[in-house]
Amino acid sequence: MKTMKKLLLAGAICLLTAATALAQPILRLPSAIGDHMVLQADTTVRLHDWADPNTTVTVAPSWGGEVTAKAGFDTAWAVELRTPAASAEPHSITFRTKKAEKTIDDVLIGQVWLCSGQSNMNWSAEHGIVDMQEELTRPMNPQIRSLNLSNSVAVLLYEALRQNGFAGMQTKGELHRLHWREEKDT
């Protein structure tokens, strides 16, 4: 009898946990999409996310041009968003479903550079900046943003770009600036 009660209690807890998890609305952003990011000016950028399956997602940038997408049964969705001319004016982007809403703030529109280099790029300023102490006392430029990726993340980024045909890259020759590995035409 005690065993039966324990089994019923355990089953009820599992059912309650599953129901609670299913009731939570999904609206997740990848880590690269967030406050203080920079989007390339005067182009079409692709933003993606995850939301409840079969849900309509509205993406509303503060500069106008609201777009919608429908999340698939795998919860993934993507939109293409036209960006305005470069400016120092901070913008916001709101992601909205019927059940959830997220807004990212302080989004700048400007030039986005993908940089890579040798291992010595990880050196600190004390390895070559003569006036390091003076530079450290100067205020940082709030309009310069950086997203530092580890080597493993850089490989994932490269692979995602490769699978999308290097969309946004001007020529195949620009590939070497993105990653050390060179693709060969076959």
Side-chain angles (χ1 to χ4, degrees):
M1 190 68 164
K2 286 184 181 182
T3 306
M4 181 64 90
K5 285 183 180 179
K6 286 181 183 178
L7 284 174
L8 285 173
L9 181 61
I13 290 171
C14 288
L15 187 60
L16 184 61
T17 303
T20 302
L22 290 173
Q24 297 297 317
I26 301 171
L27 184 57
R28 269 188 13 217
L29 297 170
S31 60
I33 298 176
D35 291 344
H36 318 297
M37 74 176 186
V38 179
L39 293 176
Q40 181 66 40
D42 290 318
T43 192
T44 301
V45 296
R46 184 168 194 217
L47 300 178
H48 62 92
D49 197 344
W50 301 274
D52 288 321
N54 206 29
T55 298
T56 299
V57 179
T58 302
V59 180
S62 61
W63 61 86
E66 182 174 290
V67 293
T68 60
K70 192 158 197 135
F73 288 105
D74 63 353
T75 73
W77 61 266
V79 296
E80 291 189 350
L81 195 63
R82 187 77 191 148
T83 57
S87 96
E89 175 188 348
H91 293 279
S92 64
I93 304 173
T94 299
F95 300 84
R96 188 173 43 249
T97 68
K98 287 183 180 179
K99 296 181 183 177
E101 182 175 303
K102 289 187 180 187
T103 299
I104 57 173
D105 293 308
D106 193 26
V107 176
L108 292 182
I109 308 297
Q111 295 299 310
V112 175
W113 295 78
L114 293 176
C115 303
S116 67
Q118 299 175 328
S119 60
N120 63 1
M121 288 183 72
N122 290 327
W123 286 1
S124 69
E126 64 188 25
H127 285 94
I129 296 181
V130 176
D131 55 352
M132 178 187 76
Q133 291 303 320
E134 180 185 334
E135 289 294 328
L136 290 174
T137 62
R138 293 183 183 175
M140 294 183 66
N141 184 337
Q143 293 178 336
I144 296 178
R145 318 279 172 89
S146 71
L147 172 66
N148 296 320
L149 303 174
S150 69
N151 287 340
S152 59
V153 173
V155 171
L156 291 174
L157 173 63
Y158 173 85
E159 187 60 23
L161 285 170
R162 186 189 69 74
Q163 289 177 11
N164 284 299
F166 298 100
M169 303 292 286
Q170 297 299 318
T171 66
K172 184 112 177 166
E174 290 184 15
L175 177 60
H176 72 279
R177 287 186 232 153
L178 176 64
H179 196 276
W180 58 268
R181 190 170 78 187
E182 181 178 332
E183 292 289 313
K184 296 192 179 356
D185 291 324
T186 54

